Amino acid sequence: MNSVFDLLALQPPGWGGALLRGLVSTIQIALGAYALGLCIGFFGALGKIYGGPVLRWSLEFYTTLIRAVPELVLILLLYYAGTDLLNAVLTSLGFERVEISGLWAGIYVIGFVQGAYSTEVFRGALNAVPRQQIEAAQSIGMSPILMHRRIIIPLMLPFALPGLANLWLITTKDTALLAVVGFSELALETRQAAGATKEYLTFYLAAGALYLALTLVSTLLFSLLERRLRRGEAKVH
Amino acid sequence: MVWDWLPEYAPRFAEGIWLTLQLLGLSIFFGMMLAVPIGLVQVTGPWPLAWAARAFCTVIRGTPLLIQLWLVYYGLGSLFPSIPGIRETMIWSFLRDAFPYAVFAFTLSVAGYEGEIMRGAFKGVPKGELEAARAIGMSPLQVLRRVWLPRALQNVFPTLAGEFILTLKATPLAATITVFEVYGVGSIVRQETYRVYEPLLFVAAIYVFLTLCLVVLFRFLENRRKIPNT
């Protein structure tokens, strides 16, 4: 039986390097998906608040449906639908069919799911901005874009941050689901390492530790960020 | 869209739904049995217990459920066969089945997330109510059973209901360790009929329906629990 250190060594035959590579692609997918989710969420929230009936109803449909269906089912549906749609567009334009890389498919699929959740977070936060602040901005003649940039978004961020921090943690953990579709990230690398060596307990514990380290560091960064965003506010306690 | 496979697989989907509900019900039941003490010791307990409960919640909430599930099934599951003589005992047939491992992993997950919520809930009950209960001579256990726990549960019931729906949406993960609940049946159909979208859409519709049923059930329970004039 090999020692734990041999199994987790960075050079082959150890699997430590493979796990770390998996961690890097997990972080890449999570960052990309989170950024995409934030973009969808921000404009989705603006659309829900200011949009006409058609836009509002289609956004309502999007957020309700995404939040009612399990992530795993969504990931499979979006993965197949996305690649089919892209290839249908490409072939109709006369191009060759393509295989989407795992990284981009993962980013698009998880980002699309996260977009629904962050739409709701941003909508709640935008609604929490005191009305008088908006009226004051309007009364001194700020244009809507200037008002959002200078007043609403800075005031909204502290309200949105706890929800956004939660979403980041959910995004990092959702990337593990991509292992089921066969993307090579931390969960899949772990599964392969465990399958090859039959040391299941060691590798799943190691993967758990890596995910935990990622979430703990993230939590720390988010609390620092929140302190910075709230630096002008009066202390409650 | 081709749906001619549906009648053939309908009975298996019914079994899948029943398995999903069993998994959900058992893990919520056992999970809440753990979550209440985990929440309580974080508010009142001696520091080693409070610290251990806190660490448990952090670890469970900080790692993906899929990894926890695989750790329990493949990791712990691979330890049992090495125990000498276990194959001859009654529990072996139980340990060979994937379902108990799924229930165990989901129970831990529910305990971790709901333990954190129960901590806030126990903290949120006004001190005066607990002092009043003590002042009329209730023992600590009576205070917990008659005042503290009911008031705490009442405050967080909507939050808990939302969390249980998240647990329902996590149950498809059990299919990755050969528990053939709704999603698992759907993937069997996908493999056998070579249809990509229809089984997935059907599975998605079942989950939306189950979510709606849970929402209605929790709404009913919430209204029933309400104390008049609060």
Side-chain angles (χ1 to χ4, degrees):
Chain A
M1 194 162 154
N2 295 321
S3 82
V4 173
F5 295 106
D6 289 339
L7 286 170
L8 292 176
L10 290 180
Q11 299 299 327
W15 290 83
L19 290 196
L20 286 182
R21 272 195 301 282
L23 181 66
V24 169
S25 42
T26 286
I27 295 174
Q28 277 178 331
I29 295 176
L31 282 176
Y34 191 60
L36 178 61
L38 288 185
C39 286
I40 298 178
F42 183 68
F43 290 106
L46 289 180
K48 265 194 171 183
I49 293 174
Y50 303 114
V54 178
L55 185 61
R56 269 218 309 275
W57 276 106
S58 37
L59 283 169
E60 197 65 46
F61 183 71
Y62 162 64
T63 52
T64 312
L65 202 66
I66 294 278
R67 294 191 305 157
V69 177
E71 269 86 350
L72 193 56
V73 179
L74 281 175
I75 284 172
L76 281 178
L77 268 176
L78 287 172
Y79 177 62
Y80 291 122
T83 45
D84 273 7
L85 201 67
L86 181 72
N87 278 323
V89 171
L90 283 178
T91 43
S92 71
L93 292 174
F95 291 104
E96 295 280 304
R97 293 177 67 85
V98 290
E99 282 294 316
I100 303 179
S101 82
L103 181 69
W104 286 108
I107 287 175
Y108 137 75
V109 165
I110 298 207
F112 196 73
V113 175
Q114 287 299 317
Y117 290 89
S118 39
T119 300
E120 292 302 295
V121 170
F122 277 124
R123 193 175 61 93
L126 284 171
N127 280 335
V129 173
R131 267 231 69 77
Q132 297 89 330
Q133 304 272 4
I134 300 172
E135 283 165 9
Q138 281 167 339
S139 69
I140 57 168
M142 280 192 185
S143 73
I145 290 177
L146 193 67
M147 179 174 76
H148 274 91
R149 193 161 61 82
R150 289 216 185 133
I151 311 288
I152 297 184
I153 293 173
L155 280 175
M156 164 207 79
L157 278 179
F159 292 113
L161 207 62
L164 295 182
N166 269 342
L167 281 183
W168 165 249
L169 296 183
I170 293 173
T171 313
T172 56
K173 291 188 287 166
D174 267 1
T175 55
L177 299 182
L178 294 173
V180 176
V181 209
F183 293 152
S184 137
E185 39 64 71
L186 182 51
L188 190 69
E189 296 284 353
T190 310
R191 190 161 137 157
Q192 283 164 349
T197 57
K198 307 286 173 214
E199 296 285 338
Y200 296 99
L201 204 57
T202 314
F203 282 112
Y204 288 122
L205 283 175
L210 286 178
Y211 278 111
L212 190 62
L214 182 57
T215 46
L216 288 180
V217 170
S218 310
T219 313
L220 186 73
L221 290 179
F222 268 107
S223 66
L224 290 177
L225 187 63
E226 179 162 359
R227 197 181 306 165
R228 172 156 176 81
L229 282 177
R230 287 188 184 274
R231 67 196 183 284
E233 291 179 16
K235 292 257 187 316
V236 181
H237 294 293
Chain B
M1 293 270 162
V2 181
W3 294 94
D4 55 0
W5 48 270
L6 194 53
E8 189 190 332
Y9 288 99
R12 293 181 76 171
F13 272 112
E15 281 168 34
I17 292 175
W18 174 229
L19 204 59
T20 294
L21 292 178
Q22 276 179 311
L23 180 58
L24 182 68
L26 287 173
S27 46
I28 288 178
F29 177 75
F30 292 122
M32 283 309 289
M33 304 270 271
L34 282 173
V36 168
I38 285 172
L40 197 62
V41 294
Q42 288 186 70
V43 180
T44 75
W47 71 265
L49 276 181
W51 194 86
R54 180 113 212 99
F56 174 76
C57 290
T58 311
V59 169
I60 292 289
R61 286 152 44 100
T63 49
L65 180 53
L66 190 66
I67 295 289
Q68 294 163 17
L69 193 67
W70 287 353
L71 177 66
V72 166
Y73 182 63
Y74 296 112
L76 292 184
S78 68
L79 292 185
F80 290 123
S82 60
I83 302 171
I86 199 167
R87 283 167 201 270
E88 283 77 47
T89 57
M90 290 278 286
I91 50 170
W92 177 243
S93 64
F94 183 73
L95 288 177
R96 241 176 13 178
D97 190 14
F99 186 71
Y101 293 99
V103 171
F104 182 65
F106 278 86
T107 297
L108 289 186
S109 169
V110 170
Y113 283 90
E114 273 42 274
E116 191 70 16
I117 289 178
M118 288 314 292
R119 178 181 66 96
F122 281 122
K123 240 188 191 158
V125 175
K127 263 204 152 58
E129 294 184 17
L130 303 179
E131 280 164 9
R134 261 179 238 129
I136 58 167
M138 284 191 193
S139 70
L141 212 63
Q142 278 178 324
V143 175
L144 178 67
R145 197 164 56 83
R146 292 197 186 153
V147 183
W148 210 2
L149 184 59
R151 287 287 279 127
L153 280 177
Q154 190 192 18
N155 286 341
V156 291
F157 194 76
T159 318
L160 282 179
E163 290 281 326
F164 294 153
I165 287 168
L166 289 184
T167 310
L168 167 71
K169 292 201 317 167
T171 53
L173 296 182
T176 63
I177 60 165
T178 68
V179 173
F180 289 106
E181 39 62 77
V182 177
Y183 171 79
V185 175
S187 23
I188 294 176
V189 176
R190 254 167 15 116
Q191 279 159 19
E192 291 181 359
T193 62
Y194 303 109
R195 300 244 136 242
V196 177
Y197 293 110
E198 292 90 337
L200 279 174
L201 288 174
F202 187 63
V203 165
I206 292 179
Y207 281 108
V208 173
F209 174 71
L210 290 179
T211 307
L212 279 179
C213 291
L214 279 186
V215 169
V216 170
L217 176 73
F218 288 134
R219 202 56 55 82
F220 170 75
L221 288 176
E222 193 183 330
N223 289 335
R224 227 182 49 141
R225 292 185 59 89
K226 237 180 212 142
I227 296 172
N229 74 47
T230 49

